[in-house]
Amino acid sequence: MFLNLIDRSEPRIVRLEEPIRMIGVSTKTSLKTIYKDTMRLGEEYQKAKNLIRNKSIPWAFVAISKDFSDNNSRWEYLMGDVVTSFDDGISKGLVSFEIPAKTYAVFTIRPRFGFLWGLAIGLTKRYIYTQWLPDSKYDSDNTTIGDFEYHDERSVARKPSIDLYVSIKEKNQK
């Protein structure tokens, strides 16, 4: 029923040449609590976003999954604005993170309706990690980051879309 919500096209393989810096909020989450946690974290971000300095222009927002563990299915989830630097400091209660310059598979997500964002992202991630990666010439390279959503002006357009970046390395590569 929901299979037509995701795009099964081959992703773009890109190498980020420069890291992406973000300032925002963070929480620990799990497969059982991710939807509830993202709603709560989104509210926390909305309250704190005016405290974020050095926002990039044009505007961009990221939602990051890192430190995922297969043993307990828990990971850190961060969301916040892309910034040009951390030089002016980070307000109390906020966190910073630098998305590393490395190789990513980029999947574009285009939900049919705005209320389907969470479902479309979840189904796309399930497809990537259970079907695309095992059948591809890549492995997940989640040594510093698993994946991140990149939201920009396209995410608020009439026909919205975002890019989901998945950290990868060629199979059999250490």
Side-chain angles (χ1 to χ4, degrees):
M1 172 179 170
F2 294 117
L3 296 179
N4 61 355
L5 289 178
I6 63 172
D7 182 354
R8 294 176 186 271
S9 303
E10 276 300 301
R12 296 183 331 269
I13 306 300
V14 300
R15 168 100 184 138
L16 283 185
E17 298 300 327
E18 297 288 326
I20 297 173
R21 292 170 190 83
M22 68 78 68
I23 296 176
V25 292
S26 170
T27 191
K28 288 284 190 185
T29 191
S30 72
L31 293 173
K32 291 180 181 177
T33 62
I34 184 66
Y35 292 108
K36 179 178 68 168
D37 291 340
T38 55
M39 294 294 288
R40 182 185 49 74
L41 198 61
E43 291 169 5
E44 193 177 317
Y45 162 74
Q46 288 299 322
K47 292 176 186 172
K49 70 181 183 177
N50 292 331
L51 301 173
I52 299 172
R53 299 180 191 106
N54 299 325
K55 291 181 185 180
S56 68
I57 298 174
W59 168 85
F61 168 90
V62 289
I64 303 164
S65 294
K66 69 185 218 54
D67 302 330
F68 183 82
S69 167
D70 289 331
N71 297 336
N72 64 10
S73 300
R74 290 189 60 77
W75 68 94
E76 185 175 3
Y77 190 76
L78 304 94
M79 60 174 61
D81 288 322
V82 173
V83 298
T84 55
S85 75
F86 301 136
D87 292 345
D88 290 338
I90 299 156
S91 297
K92 185 177 178 173
L94 299 179
V95 297
S96 64
F97 182 73
E98 192 169 87
I99 297 169
K102 60 191 309 188
T103 303
Y104 297 88
V106 182
F107 297 81
T108 300
I109 301 174
R110 295 176 187 90
R112 289 211 167 100
F113 305 102
F115 67 90
L116 294 175
W117 271 116
L119 180 61
I121 292 167
L123 290 172
T124 301
K125 285 185 178 190
R126 179 182 298 157
Y127 164 72
I128 292 166
Y129 290 104
T130 64
Q131 293 178 33
W132 183 79
L133 271 171
D135 293 341
S136 77
K137 66 179 187 176
Y138 302 101
D139 279 326
S140 175
D141 183 15
N142 61 0
T143 51
T144 52
I145 186 172
D147 57 62
F148 70 94
E149 302 161 29
Y150 190 86
H151 300 247
D152 56 16
E153 68 278 349
R154 296 170 304 141
S155 65
V156 293
R158 200 159 95 61
K159 292 186 176 183
S161 68
I162 63 166
D163 287 330
L164 176 65
Y165 286 67
V166 177
S167 178
I168 58 170
K169 62 183 176 186
E170 288 197 24
K171 286 186 176 165
N172 300 319
Q173 193 180 43
K174 300 287 181 202

